Amino acid sequence: MLKTKLWDIEFKNPVFLAAGVMGETGSALKRMAKNGAGAVCTKSVGIEKKPGHNNPTMVEVEGGFLNAMGLPNPGADEYAGEIERIKDEMKRMNVKIIGSIYGKNDSEFQKAAEIIGNYVDVLELNISCPHAGGGYGSSIGQDPYLCKNVVSAVKDVSDIPVIAKLTPNVTDIKEIANAVVNAGADGIVAINTLGPGMVIDIESGVPILGNRVGGMSGKAVKPIAVKNVYDICSAVDVPVIGVGGITTGADAIEFMMAGASAVQVGTGVYYRGYDIFQKINNEIEEYLLKKDLKMSDIIGIAQK
Ligand code: RRO
């Protein structure tokens, strides 16, 4: 009932692990797979090892979390080894792997794609981190010209689906969606975290995050994510994966009604535990059974 075909890949269900949460090691990915995710996405990986920002890298706020992890990762070559170790078991469980990659220019994205692309089912381009600095992240995702160049550079060296993860911190999300799709993106993931924002400790007067500012995730960003997905789906004709504050089956259904073909869960893992994937799948199934509907009946109905 929950089987979802995107491109020529069949996913056992449409509830995936989002980039950045529980994705720093192969064993963490495997754990999410065992808890019912239809696919798991790696932490964003670049061509070189990066230590990330100083602690604290995450702080809870009303309605969500603010994070500035700072792209910590062991580099593409070493991360490829992490995936290699879990590959067979993921196949046995029928859970697909999405490799999230980042870079500061076309050639860095291309190199990361050439390495990670050999180990995963789908490549997700992170052009949207709101606090990455150094030419990474949303400085690419806010500029349609840079978006187009990164996507076409990666498409030139890839024979698996390439999807772009977009930032909500733009004036015209449809313009960005059109730019990545015209450059050959096979799908879109929306949204990355909102902001950046800041939380200040009023005893010391010092911003709490080590990086001072960070991206907002969790329940409070959900309406913004739903609207972005809705707008993107009205502008382009590729599969869209919705992400941003999804905690329940009802949340996932809302994204599907906006037009998403699948969803990703990140911060929700902190609210409902590792088995959130199984829980959301059960809740979607209960809804569909109760209403006597199929998933294809609800995808995009809010567009009508
Ligand atoms: O590592 C991070 O700080 C981070 C990344 Br790469 C991202 O894309 N989004 C986010 O909120 N944090």
Side-chain angles (χ1 to χ4, degrees), residues 19-20 43-45 52-53 57 66-72 100 102 126-132 137 165 192-194 211 214-217:
K43 175 73 189 153
S44 295
V45 181
H53 291 316
T57 54
L66 214 58
N67 93 81
M69 315 298 291
L71 295 149
S100 172
Y102 74 87
N126 185 352
I127 50 174
S128 47
C129 178
H131 51 261
K165 184 162 182 183
N192 204 318
T193 48
L194 186 65
N211 185 51
M216 175 84 185
S217 66

Side-chain angles (χ1 to χ4, degrees), residues 30 34 85-94:
K30 199 167 76 183
K34 283 187 175 154
R85 279 190 283 281
I86 60 165
K87 218 176 59 195
D88 292 345
E89 207 170 342
M90 298 294 274
K91 270 223 166 69
R92 198 179 49 70
M93 290 188 279
N94 189 23

Side-chain angles (χ1 to χ4, degrees), residues 38 64 79 113 132 161 192 212 240 284 301-302:
Y79 199 95
N192 204 318
R212 302 176 85 88
V240 174
I284 298 172
I301 60 166

Side-chain angles (χ1 to χ4, degrees), residues 218-239:
K219 296 177 188 187
V221 310
K222 196 188 76 178
I224 290 162
V226 169
K227 169 68 160 65
N228 274 272
V229 166
Y230 182 89
D231 284 349
I232 293 165
C233 292
S234 74
V236 296
D237 197 18
V238 294

Side-chain angles (χ1 to χ4, degrees), residues 268-285:
V269 172
Y270 300 111
Y271 295 125
R272 287 186 87 189
Y274 295 152
D275 61 347
I276 186 169
F277 304 98
Q278 198 54 60
K279 288 173 179 160
I280 292 179
N281 276 314
N282 291 343
E283 288 157 1
I284 298 172
E285 207 163 70

